[in-house]
Amino acid sequence: MKIANISLPNNLFLAPMANVTNLAFRMLCKKYGASLTYSEMISADAVVRQGEKTMQRGMTCEDERPFCIQIFGNSPETITEAALILEEIYKPAIIDVNMGCPAPLIVRQECGSVLLNFPSLVYDIVNRLTDNISTPVSAKIRVVDDMEKTLEIARTIEDAGACAITVHGRTREQMYSGTSSLKYAKAIKKELSIPVIANGDIKDGESAKHALQYTGCDGIMIGRAAIGHPYIFRQISHYLENGESFEFDHCTQQVNDFMEYIVLLEKYGIFSLGDVKAQSKAFTKGVLGSRHIREELNDKKTIESIIGVISEMCAGTD
Ligand SMILES: Cc1cc2nc3c(=O)[nH]c(=O)nc-3n(C[C@H](O)[C@H](O)[C@H](O)COP(=O)(O)O)c2cc1C
């Protein structure tokens, strides 16, 4: 598929996820077939202030390209200023604007899903960006209860010059509860001519196939199902190509991926014990002895000792 002038080998995208989609994690998802990967959301205000930790979130490498940087904010001027800095340093294929985050920390700053209440601000943000940066601009939205209002936001984003839109079929009030409705992405796809990407509750080959068929969308975006399980991209692409699942050794896969994740963190200079501990639960979910591994990791301070613990576990699962 194509977005703006970017040719992508498939239509499976990794969702932006704060504290998850760092470069190491994104590289694993790329390896298993995500064609477009998204950074964690980056604060436009913090970029303009040159916050070092914030800037690190945009870090990429040649093997990852094409990749997308997601930005959040509410001032068209600041978002554009931040986007100019990010495009200069990281040269992303796309800059995406977060218009869906319901987290209290973001909502309190009147960013993320709050923007959906203000279609003219949505227009100004996207329009100012597309007028001033050379990178294509996309937006990721949640839905609002009213279909017509949701369609109005989507049209506004297209009219303002966006190259694509992602639709997570939950409202802000739902947070992550209930189910994500695909009917909004379907209706938006019918109306718009830019690519539309469906997102929400896609967790395996069957749900991926259903989302594509039902909505007619150009692509699908996978979030939570990839946490601790980047191999999901291989499973889904296999299912979409062949109409069936394949058998694999879940334990070995999870443990090997976790080990590779740690090696990649070190390679890109973003290793932190806190992150490894946070991800250990996800990467060892369902693996025999996973509680033991998490306990063992608690006392480990060096990358060698962490890898030692994980490789022992791997041997136990062979
Ligand atoms: C831990 C976590 C962090 C997230 N961070 C972001 C973010 O930075 N930007 C964003 O647009 N959405 C974020 N989301 C929402 C996801 O991108 C996605 O829209 C949502 O999880 C629904 O897709 P899923 O059902 O495949 O998980 C986050 C979700 C989770 C679970």
Side-chain angles (χ1 to χ4, degrees):
M1 73 170 285
K2 250 186 157 185
I3 295 189
N5 55 353
I6 309 145
S7 293
L8 299 168
N10 66 40
N11 55 4
L12 305 181
F13 300 170
L14 170 67
M17 286 185 283
N19 301 320
V20 179
T21 57
N22 59 36
L23 176 58
F25 184 76
R26 301 197 307 266
M27 287 304 289
L28 277 176
C29 294
K30 268 265 148 120
K31 167 177 154 181
Y32 291 130
S35 69
L36 191 63
T37 41
Y38 287 61
S39 74
E40 306 171 64
M41 61 180 156
I42 300 182
S43 156
D45 283 347
V47 170
V48 169
R49 290 196 310 269
Q50 295 276 339
E52 200 182 312
K53 185 125 191 264
T54 289
M55 293 306 285
Q56 197 185 66
R57 289 183 163 191
M59 190 172 110
T60 185
C61 62
E62 279 316 305
D63 288 345
E64 189 191 14
R65 297 188 185 283
F67 95 118
C68 176
I69 288 186
Q70 193 194 57
I71 208 165
F72 75 91
N74 62 15
S75 147
E77 292 77 16
T78 311
I79 293 179
T80 303
E81 200 185 329
L84 283 166
I85 295 171
L86 291 167
E87 84 173 354
E88 165 93 23
I89 301 177
Y90 299 114
K91 301 181 177 41
I94 296 173
I95 291 187
D96 184 77
V97 184
N98 183 321
M99 299 190 178
C101 185
L105 185 69
I106 303 298
V107 167
R108 269 200 302 276
Q109 300 172 60
E110 307 206 314
C111 300
S113 56
V114 172
L115 300 181
L116 301 173
N117 298 332
F118 305 102
S120 66
L121 179 58
V122 164
Y123 184 89
D124 289 346
I125 289 172
V126 176
N127 191 244
R128 193 175 180 99
L129 273 171
T130 52
D131 276 357
N132 288 283
I133 68 172
S134 42
T135 309
V137 175
S138 63
K140 178 166 176 284
I141 65 167
R142 279 193 176 226
V143 300
V144 288
D145 258 339
D146 183 289
M147 174 66 85
E148 192 38 51
K149 282 192 184 146
T150 310
L151 285 170
E152 187 195 341
I153 293 278
R155 279 186 225 112
T156 302
I157 288 167
E158 178 171 67
D159 292 347
C163 67
I165 182 170
T166 303
V167 184
H168 176 193
R170 280 190 178 79
T171 62
R172 168 179 153 190
E173 293 71 29
Q174 272 183 287
M175 300 289 283
Y176 288 92
S177 68
T179 49
S180 178
S181 168
L182 290 170
K183 71 179 183 194
Y184 296 90
K186 180 183 175 132
I188 291 171
K189 173 61 196 166
K190 255 195 185 146
E191 282 228 8
L192 267 51
S193 38
I194 55 174
V196 180
I197 299 141
N199 168 238
D201 296 350
I202 297 168
K203 55 180 191 314
D204 51 23
E206 286 91 339
S207 51
K209 187 173 175 193
H210 172 68
L212 283 167
Q213 282 186 343
Y214 173 79
T215 63
C217 278
D218 304 271
I220 49 176
M221 178 181 272
I222 294 129
R224 287 165 298 169
I227 299 179
H229 186 45
Y231 197 64
I232 184 111
F233 285 98
R234 180 145 307 157
Q235 289 177 275
I236 289 181
S237 54
H238 180 92
Y239 189 92
L240 293 177
E241 277 162 30
N242 303 291
E244 58 182 23
S245 312
F246 63 94
E247 294 293 319
F248 67 99
D249 182 338
H250 184 79
C251 291
T252 308
Q253 188 64 48
Q254 294 287 107
V255 170
N256 288 349
D257 285 343
F258 189 33
M259 186 115 83
E260 190 173 347
Y261 174 68
I262 293 167
V263 171
L264 289 171
L265 287 174
E266 172 90 338
K267 175 176 170 184
Y268 298 122
I270 51 175
F271 177 84
S272 95
L273 205 54
D275 176 73
V276 169
K277 283 182 184 165
Q279 292 303 321
S280 65
K281 198 166 176 186
F283 271 94
T284 59
K285 194 172 166 197
V287 172
L288 197 68
S290 62
R291 206 178 70 167
H292 175 67
I293 197 173
R294 292 199 293 275
E295 280 166 8
E296 289 247 316
L297 283 179
N298 267 335
D299 331 317
K300 303 291 176 271
K301 303 243 174 327
T302 65
I303 183 147
E304 291 75 19
S305 56
I306 290 170
I307 288 181
V309 172
I310 297 162
S311 42
E312 255 174 49
M313 180 165 182
C314 203
T317 60
D318 272 339

